[in-house]
Amino acid sequence: MTQTLAETGVVERTYVDCIRQALQQLLRDDDRVVVFGEDVGAFGGAFKATLGLQEEFGRDRVFDTPIAESAIIGSAIGMATQGLRPIIEMQFLDFMNTALHQLINNAATIHFRTGNAVPITVRAPCGGGFGGGPFHSEELETIFCHMPGLKVVYPAFPCDARGLLVSAVEDPNPVVYLENKYLYRHVKECLADNFEPVPIGVARVCRRGSDATIITYGAMVHESLAAADVLAAEERQIMVVDLRTLKPYDHDTILAAVAATNRVLVVHEAWRCCGFGAEIAAGIAERGFHLLDAPIMRVAAPDVPIPFAPSLESVYRPSAGTIVEALRELIEY
Amino acid sequence: MPVCPSSSLDLNQIPRNQWLAIYRTMCRARFTEQRMIRLYHQAKIFGGVYTGFGHEAIGAGTAHAGGDNDLFTPCIRDLTVHLARGLSVLDVFRQFLARATGPTRGRDGNVHYGRLDQGVYAMISHLGAMISVAVGGVMARRRQGLDAVAMAYVGDGATSTGDFHEAVNYASVFDVPLLVVIENNQFAYSTPNSQQYRCKHLIDRAPGYGIEGVQVDGNDAVAVHLKVREIVGEMRQTPRPVLLECDTLRIRGHGEHDDAGYIPEALKAEYAARDPLDNMRRSLTDAEIATARELDTIDSECQQEIDEGYQQALAEPMPDPATLLEGVYAE
């Protein structure tokens, strides 16, 4: 007997809905899970990702903290090493900078130094495109990817947002879970209630093509897909790979996608210099040089602090338009 | 500034064995570090040697007041805490000699070790950072129904960090049973307290956090232990953080590479006359807890343990270079 849509719970879900759903499921299924951070309690978080969770699970499981990013991560290390599964919300990724030593010197090194696991998940709302200016728009994935001992995931779609969050919390290591603020309510999918975890370390080809390959992640997946639509009208087929996990990243899927088109464009919202695209480009050059018919190209943010004025931010942030321009240059090389 | 001269304290209020255990921990730490210093000057140690000379009463007096479920984040000068919680002298030598068999398997050096199965966290070098780890650890244990408390150790220098402030305030807001043991040894590396803070005493900050602050003579293990037993007993019933400021002096340099020429000789002489081991011997013999001869026996037992520990660690291997990439991630 076929189920109706209502019976399967298929509804249109936003990216932030899916984060909330995953948090709710994790809190329900695993008594070790606690959720805390600034304003995540009754207020439901700056972006409402934790709305209703304190009411459902109590102040013991979902609670507000003082504005103390370092103590938030430090206390999560303490909890994780004593059997809990803390999920932290850094209100904005930008604020994590005041706690980097706790994450990269402390949490990331503990297993190597002592053999004790530190299963913490740090949710970090990141990215711009909404007039957030220099301190509410940053994309700092490259810092975390640089650090041995951390894992870094960055979903671009609602289904991956919930599936990767569950995997991050189940992982015995510190995981930085980057969630893009622009995507919170801009991206929707019709999804059932039930879902499977999305494994860490596995990229996804979200569009097949033969003329060029884009390797990207986060909000730039959507800009890249829009750019691919533009070129499709010109009979150019663009492959788009959504990395989903930045560390450890999926070398094999990248190489297969490069092999299919022999031309590759790396796109990210973060700054160009030492951005994560540099690692991807170097990896392709090391392992797939023979596959290339053109130089590896990058579209990234210019190396300036993130500007506020819409007239500036719109040219600062990579877009479908800048990606289309780069693709044309790449294909014509 | 001695606040609790042990001469006026009643040692008979707790079992004799407890005092002897504290004395033994102090001796094990002191003699182990004496050996480390010798090895350092013989270039048999890799990296630095940082000792707790003069601080033994603080670590031993506090850690021996803890129970099985309690958590500790010792700092640089707290070998006593590790030993009181069950670490072997052998493990200490393995650590300093970078042995594969040691607590960090040669992955980290000197004072950066700790065994969680003994309730002890391995410190990182960023001072003040471990306080919030202790806070989270004991929050978790409380949530699991244990009446645990945590003891976090910092020096005077670490009280200037943002981490100190964040963690103490955080602990206060959540009523976390946390004893912040401030080992005020008057110098942060070469920087004297006059250039570190301007309050009269560091516990003057306690009211600002809405918590209690207590001072104690950090060279008097009896005073430290009795005061901490009392505080910890109350803390288990009514969870809350407390600042404990222990007055002492760092008798040697920051590390053995440092001759501490910046510490005035008169100040050194003043504290040398109140050496914590000498104080403890006097307290125990005056109160007829032990005879000098019994204490001498403990001394020689400790020396023997150290000789054996060092020789065994020396015979053990350093990590195999082929294992370099192992252990970065938990499986």
Side-chain angles (χ1 to χ4, degrees), chain A residues 31 36 60-61 64-65 68-71 74-75 78-79 81-82 84 101-102 105-106 111-113 116 149-150 172-173 247, chain B residues 71 104-105 107-108 116 121-124 126 129-130 132-133 136-137 140-141 143-144 163 166 170 174 326-331:
Chain A
D31 186 48
F36 59 99
D60 186 40
R61 310 268 318 272
D64 291 329
T65 65
E69 285 80 11
S70 176
S75 63
M79 292 177 197
T81 46
Q82 298 300 329
L84 298 189
H101 66 300
Q102 289 288 17
N105 296 102
N106 211 349
H111 190 266
F112 183 71
R113 295 187 300 126
N116 298 116
L150 296 182
N173 296 286
K247 191 166 189 180
Chain B
L71 294 174
T104 63
R105 305 161 355 274
R107 266 61 179 176
D108 201 348
L116 266 189
Y121 280 92
M123 65 173 283
I124 63 170
H126 305 58
M130 297 306 295
S132 61
V133 176
R141 290 208 161 180
R143 209 174 154 268
Q144 290 154 355
D163 266 348
E166 284 194 21
Y170 197 93
F174 291 117
E326 293 175 5
V328 178
Y329 292 94
E331 297 300 327

Short mmCIF file of all heavy atoms in Angstrom, two decimals, chain A residues 31 36 60-61 64-65 68-71 74-75 78-79 81-82 84 101-102 105-106 111-113 116 149-150 172-173 247, chain B residues 71 104-105 107-108 116 121-124 126 129-130 132-133 136-137 140-141 143-144 163 166 170 174 326-331:
data_model
loop_
_atom_site.label_atom_id
_atom_site.label_comp_id
_atom_site.label_asym_id
_atom_site.label_seq_id
_atom_site.Cartn_x
_atom_site.Cartn_y
_atom_site.Cartn_z
N ASP A 31 21.05 10.16 25.47
CA ASP A 31 21.01 10.92 26.71
C ASP A 31 22.33 11.66 26.97
O ASP A 31 22.39 12.56 27.80
CB ASP A 31 20.73 9.93 27.86
CG ASP A 31 20.53 10.65 29.18
OD1 ASP A 31 19.76 11.62 29.18
OD2 ASP A 31 21.16 10.26 30.18
N PHE A 36 24.56 23.51 24.05
CA PHE A 36 24.68 24.77 24.78
C PHE A 36 25.47 25.81 23.97
O PHE A 36 26.11 25.50 22.97
CB PHE A 36 25.29 24.57 26.17
CG PHE A 36 26.66 23.94 26.20
CD1 PHE A 36 27.80 24.73 26.35
CD2 PHE A 36 26.82 22.56 26.11
CE1 PHE A 36 29.07 24.16 26.40
CE2 PHE A 36 28.08 21.98 26.16
CZ PHE A 36 29.21 22.79 26.31
N ASP A 60 18.64 21.21 31.70
CA ASP A 60 19.78 20.35 31.97
C ASP A 60 20.47 19.93 30.67
O ASP A 60 21.67 19.67 30.66
CB ASP A 60 19.23 19.12 32.72
CG ASP A 60 20.35 18.22 33.20
OD1 ASP A 60 21.37 18.76 33.65
OD2 ASP A 60 20.19 16.98 33.11
N ARG A 61 19.71 19.87 29.59
CA ARG A 61 20.24 19.36 28.31
C ARG A 61 20.49 20.47 27.30
O ARG A 61 21.32 20.30 26.40
CB ARG A 61 19.25 18.36 27.66
CG ARG A 61 18.73 17.26 28.56
CD ARG A 61 19.54 15.99 28.52
NE ARG A 61 20.01 15.51 27.25
CZ ARG A 61 19.34 14.70 26.42
NH1 ARG A 61 18.11 14.30 26.72
NH2 ARG A 61 19.90 14.29 25.31
N ASP A 64 21.78 28.05 28.08
CA ASP A 64 22.53 29.26 27.73
C ASP A 64 23.82 29.33 28.54
O ASP A 64 23.85 28.88 29.69
CB ASP A 64 21.71 30.51 28.08
CG ASP A 64 20.50 30.67 27.18
OD1 ASP A 64 20.56 30.25 26.02
OD2 ASP A 64 19.48 31.21 27.67
N THR A 65 24.82 29.94 27.96
CA THR A 65 26.07 30.18 28.68
C THR A 65 26.36 31.67 28.73
O THR A 65 25.79 32.43 27.95
CB THR A 65 27.25 29.52 27.96
OG1 THR A 65 27.42 30.17 26.70
CG2 THR A 65 27.02 28.03 27.75
N ALA A 68 31.38 33.60 26.60
CA ALA A 68 32.70 33.10 27.03
C ALA A 68 33.08 31.98 26.08
O ALA A 68 33.06 30.80 26.43
CB ALA A 68 32.61 32.60 28.47
N GLU A 69 33.44 32.35 24.86
CA GLU A 69 33.69 31.32 23.83
C GLU A 69 34.74 30.31 24.25
O GLU A 69 34.62 29.12 23.99
CB GLU A 69 34.08 31.98 22.51
CG GLU A 69 32.92 32.64 21.76
CD GLU A 69 32.55 34.02 22.28
OE1 GLU A 69 33.32 34.57 23.11
OE2 GLU A 69 31.50 34.55 21.88
N SER A 70 35.80 30.80 24.89
CA SER A 70 36.86 29.88 25.29
C SER A 70 36.36 28.91 26.37
O SER A 70 36.64 27.71 26.32
CB SER A 70 38.07 30.67 25.81
OG SER A 70 39.04 29.80 26.29
N ALA A 71 35.62 29.42 27.33
CA ALA A 71 35.09 28.54 28.38
C ALA A 71 34.02 27.60 27.81
O ALA A 71 33.86 26.47 28.31
CB ALA A 71 34.51 29.36 29.53
N GLY A 74 36.17 24.97 26.18
CA GLY A 74 36.89 24.28 27.25
C GLY A 74 35.97 23.38 28.05
O GLY A 74 36.29 22.21 28.32
N SER A 75 34.81 23.87 28.40
CA SER A 75 33.88 23.04 29.19
C SER A 75 33.37 21.87 28.35
O SER A 75 33.14 20.78 28.88
CB SER A 75 32.73 23.88 29.74
OG SER A 75 31.95 24.43 28.71
N GLY A 78 35.86 19.19 28.62
CA GLY A 78 35.68 18.49 29.90
C GLY A 78 34.53 17.51 29.85
O GLY A 78 34.63 16.37 30.29
N MET A 79 33.41 17.94 29.30
CA MET A 79 32.23 17.07 29.23
C MET A 79 32.47 15.87 28.31
O MET A 79 32.12 14.74 28.64
CB MET A 79 31.03 17.87 28.71
CG MET A 79 30.54 18.94 29.66
SD MET A 79 29.18 19.86 28.89
CE MET A 79 29.16 21.30 29.95
N THR A 81 35.18 14.42 27.48
CA THR A 81 36.12 13.45 28.03
C THR A 81 35.54 12.71 29.22
O THR A 81 36.16 11.78 29.73
CB THR A 81 37.44 14.14 28.43
OG1 THR A 81 37.12 15.32 29.17
CG2 THR A 81 38.26 14.51 27.22
N GLN A 82 34.36 13.13 29.67
CA GLN A 82 33.69 12.43 30.77
C GLN A 82 32.41 11.75 30.30
O GLN A 82 31.51 11.48 31.08
CB GLN A 82 33.38 13.40 31.93
CG GLN A 82 34.62 14.02 32.55
CD GLN A 82 35.57 12.98 33.13
OE1 GLN A 82 35.15 11.92 33.60
NE2 GLN A 82 36.86 13.28 33.10
N LEU A 84 30.03 12.70 27.89
CA LEU A 84 28.91 13.39 27.23
C LEU A 84 29.24 13.62 25.75
O LEU A 84 30.37 13.42 25.31
CB LEU A 84 28.59 14.71 27.92
CG LEU A 84 28.16 14.64 29.39
CD1 LEU A 84 27.67 16.01 29.87
CD2 LEU A 84 27.07 13.60 29.63
N HIS A 101 42.53 28.59 20.71
CA HIS A 101 43.49 27.73 21.42
C HIS A 101 42.78 26.53 22.04
O HIS A 101 43.35 25.44 22.11
CB HIS A 101 44.27 28.51 22.46
CG HIS A 101 43.42 29.03 23.58
ND1 HIS A 101 42.37 29.88 23.38
CD2 HIS A 101 43.44 28.77 24.90
CE1 HIS A 101 41.80 30.14 24.54
NE2 HIS A 101 42.42 29.47 25.47
N GLN A 102 41.56 26.74 22.50
CA GLN A 102 40.84 25.60 23.10
C GLN A 102 40.53 24.54 22.03
O GLN A 102 40.55 23.35 22.31
CB GLN A 102 39.52 26.05 23.74
CG GLN A 102 39.70 26.87 25.01
CD GLN A 102 40.15 26.04 26.21
OE1 GLN A 102 40.65 24.93 26.08
NE2 GLN A 102 40.01 26.61 27.39
N ASN A 105 44.62 23.89 19.99
CA ASN A 105 45.70 23.42 20.85
C ASN A 105 45.23 22.37 21.84
O ASN A 105 45.98 21.46 22.19
CB ASN A 105 46.33 24.59 21.63
CG ASN A 105 46.98 25.60 20.70
OD1 ASN A 105 46.42 26.64 20.43
ND2 ASN A 105 48.14 25.26 20.18
N ASN A 106 44.01 22.53 22.30
CA ASN A 106 43.53 21.62 23.33
C ASN A 106 42.76 20.45 22.70
O ASN A 106 43.28 19.34 22.58
CB ASN A 106 42.69 22.39 24.34
CG ASN A 106 42.79 21.80 25.75
OD1 ASN A 106 43.31 20.71 25.94
ND2 ASN A 106 42.28 22.51 26.73
N HIS A 111 43.71 13.56 21.74
CA HIS A 111 43.80 12.13 21.41
C HIS A 111 45.23 11.73 21.06
O HIS A 111 45.73 10.70 21.51
CB HIS A 111 42.83 11.74 20.29
CG HIS A 111 42.75 10.25 20.14
ND1 HIS A 111 43.52 9.54 19.25
CD2 HIS A 111 42.05 9.34 20.84
CE1 HIS A 111 43.27 8.26 19.39
NE2 HIS A 111 42.38 8.10 20.35
N PHE A 112 45.89 12.56 20.31
CA PHE A 112 47.28 12.26 19.93
C PHE A 112 48.18 12.21 21.17
O PHE A 112 49.03 11.34 21.31
CB PHE A 112 47.78 13.34 18.97
CG PHE A 112 49.18 13.12 18.45
CD1 PHE A 112 49.44 12.11 17.54
CD2 PHE A 112 50.23 13.93 18.85
CE1 PHE A 112 50.73 11.90 17.04
CE2 PHE A 112 51.51 13.74 18.36
CZ PHE A 112 51.77 12.73 17.45
N ARG A 113 47.94 13.15 22.10
CA ARG A 113 48.82 13.23 23.26
C ARG A 113 48.50 12.20 24.33
O ARG A 113 49.39 11.70 25.01
CB ARG A 113 48.74 14.64 23.87
CG ARG A 113 49.28 15.73 22.93
CD ARG A 113 49.34 17.08 23.62
NE ARG A 113 48.04 17.51 24.08
CZ ARG A 113 47.77 17.88 25.33
NH1 ARG A 113 48.70 17.89 26.25
NH2 ARG A 113 46.55 18.26 25.66
N ASN A 116 42.88 9.90 24.73
CA ASN A 116 41.49 10.10 25.14
C ASN A 116 40.70 10.78 24.02
O ASN A 116 41.15 11.78 23.47
CB ASN A 116 41.40 10.95 26.41
CG ASN A 116 42.08 10.28 27.59
OD1 ASN A 116 43.07 10.77 28.13
ND2 ASN A 116 41.58 9.13 27.99
N GLY A 149 43.82 16.64 13.83
CA GLY A 149 42.98 16.28 14.98
C GLY A 149 41.55 16.78 14.86
O GLY A 149 40.67 16.31 15.57
N LEU A 150 41.32 17.74 13.95
CA LEU A 150 39.96 18.22 13.75
C LEU A 150 39.38 17.60 12.48
O LEU A 150 40.11 17.29 11.54
CB LEU A 150 39.93 19.74 13.57
CG LEU A 150 40.37 20.60 14.74
CD1 LEU A 150 40.22 22.08 14.37
CD2 LEU A 150 39.56 20.29 15.99
N PRO A 172 33.88 10.19 17.14
CA PRO A 172 34.59 10.34 18.43
C PRO A 172 35.61 11.47 18.48
O PRO A 172 36.35 11.58 19.45
CB PRO A 172 35.27 8.97 18.59
CG PRO A 172 35.48 8.49 17.21
CD PRO A 172 34.34 9.02 16.39
N ASN A 173 35.64 12.31 17.45
CA ASN A 173 36.62 13.38 17.38
C ASN A 173 35.96 14.75 17.41
O ASN A 173 34.76 14.86 17.14
CB ASN A 173 37.43 13.24 16.07
CG ASN A 173 38.24 11.96 16.06
OD1 ASN A 173 39.24 11.85 16.73
ND2 ASN A 173 37.75 10.95 15.32
N LYS A 247 37.53 18.11 5.76
CA LYS A 247 38.62 17.32 6.32
C LYS A 247 38.04 16.12 7.05
O LYS A 247 37.25 16.33 7.97
CB LYS A 247 39.45 18.14 7.28
CG LYS A 247 40.75 17.40 7.65
CD LYS A 247 41.72 18.31 8.31
CE LYS A 247 43.06 17.61 8.46
NZ LYS A 247 44.04 18.48 9.10
N LEU B 71 38.04 15.45 39.87
CA LEU B 71 38.85 15.75 38.68
C LEU B 71 39.87 16.83 38.98
O LEU B 71 39.61 17.74 39.78
CB LEU B 71 37.95 16.20 37.52
CG LEU B 71 36.98 15.15 36.99
CD1 LEU B 71 36.05 15.77 35.95
CD2 LEU B 71 37.74 13.97 36.39
N THR B 104 52.15 9.84 27.60
CA THR B 104 51.82 10.41 26.29
C THR B 104 52.54 9.67 25.17
O THR B 104 52.59 10.15 24.04
CB THR B 104 52.18 11.92 26.19
OG1 THR B 104 53.60 12.06 26.34
CG2 THR B 104 51.49 12.73 27.27
N ARG B 105 53.11 8.52 25.47
CA ARG B 105 53.75 7.67 24.46
C ARG B 105 54.79 8.46 23.66
O ARG B 105 54.99 8.23 22.48
CB ARG B 105 52.69 7.07 23.52
CG ARG B 105 51.63 6.31 24.27
CD ARG B 105 50.30 6.04 23.54
NE ARG B 105 50.09 6.60 22.24
CZ ARG B 105 49.61 7.82 22.01
NH1 ARG B 105 49.31 8.65 23.00
NH2 ARG B 105 49.42 8.24 20.78
N ARG B 107 54.55 11.45 22.78
CA ARG B 107 53.91 12.44 21.89
C ARG B 107 53.99 13.84 22.46
O ARG B 107 53.86 14.83 21.75
CB ARG B 107 52.44 12.08 21.64
CG ARG B 107 52.21 11.26 20.38
CD ARG B 107 52.92 9.93 20.42
NE ARG B 107 52.67 9.14 19.22
CZ ARG B 107 53.24 7.97 18.98
NH1 ARG B 107 54.09 7.44 19.84
NH2 ARG B 107 52.97 7.31 17.88
N ASP B 108 54.13 13.95 23.76
CA ASP B 108 54.26 15.28 24.36
C ASP B 108 55.28 15.18 25.47
O ASP B 108 55.58 14.08 25.95
CB ASP B 108 52.90 15.77 24.87
CG ASP B 108 52.86 17.29 25.03
OD1 ASP B 108 53.93 17.93 24.95
OD2 ASP B 108 51.76 17.83 25.23
N LEU B 116 43.56 10.29 32.62
CA LEU B 116 42.14 10.51 32.93
C LEU B 116 41.57 9.41 33.80
O LEU B 116 40.62 9.65 34.54
CB LEU B 116 41.33 10.62 31.63
CG LEU B 116 41.09 12.02 31.09
CD1 LEU B 116 40.10 11.98 29.94
CD2 LEU B 116 40.60 12.96 32.18
N TYR B 121 43.79 15.57 34.14
CA TYR B 121 43.91 16.03 32.76
C TYR B 121 45.34 16.45 32.45
O TYR B 121 46.04 16.99 33.31
CB TYR B 121 43.00 17.23 32.52
CG TYR B 121 41.57 16.84 32.28
CD1 TYR B 121 40.66 16.76 33.33
CD2 TYR B 121 41.11 16.54 31.01
CE1 TYR B 121 39.34 16.39 33.12
CE2 TYR B 121 39.80 16.18 30.77
CZ TYR B 121 38.92 16.11 31.83
OH TYR B 121 37.62 15.75 31.59
N ALA B 122 45.74 16.22 31.20
CA ALA B 122 47.03 16.71 30.73
C ALA B 122 46.89 18.18 30.36
O ALA B 122 46.01 18.53 29.57
CB ALA B 122 47.47 15.89 29.51
N MET B 123 47.74 19.00 30.92
CA MET B 123 47.65 20.44 30.66
C MET B 123 48.14 20.77 29.25
O MET B 123 48.93 20.03 28.67
CB MET B 123 48.49 21.22 31.68
CG MET B 123 49.99 20.96 31.57
SD MET B 123 50.99 22.04 32.65
CE MET B 123 50.97 23.58 31.72
N ILE B 124 47.65 21.90 28.74
CA ILE B 124 48.30 22.49 27.58
C ILE B 124 49.08 23.71 28.08
O ILE B 124 48.88 24.15 29.21
CB ILE B 124 47.31 22.88 26.45
CG1 ILE B 124 46.32 23.95 26.88
CG2 ILE B 124 46.59 21.64 25.96
CD1 ILE B 124 45.51 24.53 25.72
N HIS B 126 48.95 26.77 27.35
CA HIS B 126 48.22 28.04 27.40
C HIS B 126 47.62 28.18 28.78
O HIS B 126 46.63 27.53 29.12
CB HIS B 126 47.13 28.05 26.32
CG HIS B 126 47.68 27.78 24.94
ND1 HIS B 126 48.36 26.62 24.65
CD2 HIS B 126 47.66 28.51 23.82
CE1 HIS B 126 48.74 26.66 23.39
NE2 HIS B 126 48.33 27.79 22.87
N ALA B 129 43.85 27.82 30.47
CA ALA B 129 42.95 27.11 29.55
C ALA B 129 42.31 25.87 30.18
O ALA B 129 41.23 25.45 29.76
CB ALA B 129 43.71 26.71 28.28
N MET B 130 42.98 25.30 31.17
CA MET B 130 42.46 24.04 31.71
C MET B 130 41.34 24.25 32.74
O MET B 130 40.67 23.30 33.11
CB MET B 130 43.59 23.22 32.33
CG MET B 130 44.67 22.79 31.34
SD MET B 130 44.05 21.90 29.89
CE MET B 130 43.41 20.41 30.66
N SER B 132 38.46 25.78 32.48
CA SER B 132 37.12 25.50 31.94
C SER B 132 36.97 24.02 31.59
O SER B 132 35.85 23.50 31.60
CB SER B 132 36.82 26.38 30.73
OG SER B 132 37.74 26.16 29.69
N VAL B 133 38.07 23.34 31.31
CA VAL B 133 37.99 21.90 31.08
C VAL B 133 37.57 21.19 32.37
O VAL B 133 36.71 20.31 32.38
CB VAL B 133 39.33 21.35 30.56
CG1 VAL B 133 39.27 19.84 30.41
CG2 VAL B 133 39.70 22.00 29.23
N GLY B 136 33.82 21.79 32.85
CA GLY B 136 32.97 20.91 32.04
C GLY B 136 33.02 19.47 32.51
O GLY B 136 32.00 18.77 32.53
N GLY B 137 34.20 19.03 32.89
CA GLY B 137 34.35 17.66 33.37
C GLY B 137 33.50 17.39 34.59
O GLY B 137 32.79 16.38 34.68
N ALA B 140 29.80 17.31 33.88
CA ALA B 140 29.38 16.01 33.34
C ALA B 140 29.25 14.98 34.45
O ALA B 140 28.28 14.23 34.51
CB ALA B 140 30.40 15.55 32.29
N ARG B 141 30.22 14.96 35.34
CA ARG B 141 30.17 13.96 36.42
C ARG B 141 28.97 14.20 37.34
O ARG B 141 28.34 13.26 37.81
CB ARG B 141 31.48 13.98 37.21
CG ARG B 141 32.62 13.42 36.39
CD ARG B 141 33.71 12.78 37.21
NE ARG B 141 34.48 11.90 36.33
CZ ARG B 141 35.52 11.17 36.72
NH1 ARG B 141 35.93 11.20 37.96
NH2 ARG B 141 36.14 10.40 35.86
N ARG B 143 26.20 15.48 36.39
CA ARG B 143 25.03 15.07 35.62
C ARG B 143 24.87 13.56 35.67
O ARG B 143 23.77 13.03 35.56
CB ARG B 143 25.23 15.53 34.17
CG ARG B 143 23.95 15.80 33.46
CD ARG B 143 24.16 16.40 32.10
NE ARG B 143 22.98 16.05 31.31
CZ ARG B 143 22.90 14.97 30.56
NH1 ARG B 143 23.92 14.16 30.47
NH2 ARG B 143 21.79 14.72 29.91
N GLN B 144 26.00 12.85 35.82
CA GLN B 144 25.96 11.39 35.90
C GLN B 144 25.65 10.93 37.33
O GLN B 144 25.71 9.74 37.62
CB GLN B 144 27.30 10.82 35.43
CG GLN B 144 27.52 10.99 33.92
CD GLN B 144 28.98 11.04 33.51
OE1 GLN B 144 29.88 11.04 34.36
NE2 GLN B 144 29.24 11.11 32.21
N ASP B 163 41.11 33.57 29.97
CA ASP B 163 40.58 32.24 30.28
C ASP B 163 40.26 32.08 31.76
O ASP B 163 39.28 31.42 32.12
CB ASP B 163 41.59 31.16 29.87
CG ASP B 163 41.31 30.62 28.48
OD1 ASP B 163 40.23 30.92 27.95
OD2 ASP B 163 42.16 29.90 27.94
N GLU B 166 36.96 33.97 32.24
CA GLU B 166 35.83 33.27 31.61
C GLU B 166 35.43 32.05 32.42
O GLU B 166 34.25 31.81 32.68
CB GLU B 166 36.20 32.82 30.19
CG GLU B 166 36.19 33.93 29.18
CD GLU B 166 36.22 33.42 27.73
OE1 GLU B 166 35.85 32.25 27.49
OE2 GLU B 166 36.61 34.20 26.85
N TYR B 170 32.06 31.52 34.60
CA TYR B 170 31.21 30.43 34.06
C TYR B 170 30.88 29.44 35.18
O TYR B 170 29.73 29.05 35.37
CB TYR B 170 32.04 29.76 32.98
CG TYR B 170 31.38 28.87 31.96
CD1 TYR B 170 30.95 29.38 30.74
CD2 TYR B 170 31.29 27.50 32.15
CE1 TYR B 170 30.44 28.56 29.76
CE2 TYR B 170 30.77 26.66 31.18
CZ TYR B 170 30.35 27.20 29.98
OH TYR B 170 29.85 26.38 29.00
N PHE B 174 27.08 28.64 36.88
CA PHE B 174 26.48 27.29 36.89
C PHE B 174 26.65 26.58 38.25
O PHE B 174 26.36 25.38 38.34
CB PHE B 174 27.09 26.43 35.77
CG PHE B 174 26.70 26.88 34.39
CD1 PHE B 174 27.64 27.33 33.49
CD2 PHE B 174 25.37 26.84 33.99
CE1 PHE B 174 27.27 27.74 32.21
CE2 PHE B 174 24.99 27.25 32.72
CZ PHE B 174 25.95 27.71 31.83
N GLU B 326 50.25 7.83 13.79
CA GLU B 326 49.18 7.15 14.54
C GLU B 326 48.60 8.02 15.64
O GLU B 326 49.30 8.81 16.26
CB GLU B 326 49.74 5.85 15.16
CG GLU B 326 50.11 4.81 14.11
CD GLU B 326 50.77 3.58 14.72
OE1 GLU B 326 50.86 3.48 15.96
OE2 GLU B 326 51.21 2.73 13.93
N GLY B 327 47.31 7.81 15.88
CA GLY B 327 46.68 8.38 17.07
C GLY B 327 46.18 9.80 16.94
O GLY B 327 45.74 10.39 17.91
N VAL B 328 46.26 10.37 15.73
CA VAL B 328 45.76 11.75 15.58
C VAL B 328 44.25 11.79 15.80
O VAL B 328 43.71 12.68 16.45
CB VAL B 328 46.11 12.31 14.19
CG1 VAL B 328 45.56 13.72 14.03
CG2 VAL B 328 47.62 12.31 13.99
N TYR B 329 43.59 10.76 15.27
CA TYR B 329 42.13 10.69 15.41
C TYR B 329 41.74 9.45 16.21
O TYR B 329 42.37 8.40 16.10
CB TYR B 329 41.46 10.63 14.04
CG TYR B 329 41.60 11.94 13.28
CD1 TYR B 329 42.64 12.12 12.38
CD2 TYR B 329 40.72 12.99 13.50
CE1 TYR B 329 42.79 13.33 11.71
CE2 TYR B 329 40.86 14.20 12.83
CZ TYR B 329 41.89 14.36 11.93
OH TYR B 329 42.03 15.56 11.29
N ALA B 330 40.65 9.59 16.96
CA ALA B 330 40.05 8.43 17.62
C ALA B 330 39.25 7.66 16.59
O ALA B 330 38.65 8.26 15.69
CB ALA B 330 39.15 8.90 18.75
N GLU B 331 39.26 6.34 16.70
CA GLU B 331 38.52 5.52 15.72
C GLU B 331 37.08 5.32 16.18
O GLU B 331 36.81 5.14 17.33
CB GLU B 331 39.19 4.15 15.57
CG GLU B 331 40.61 4.23 15.02
CD GLU B 331 40.69 4.87 13.63
OE1 GLU B 331 39.73 4.69 12.85
OE2 GLU B 331 41.70 5.52 13.34
#
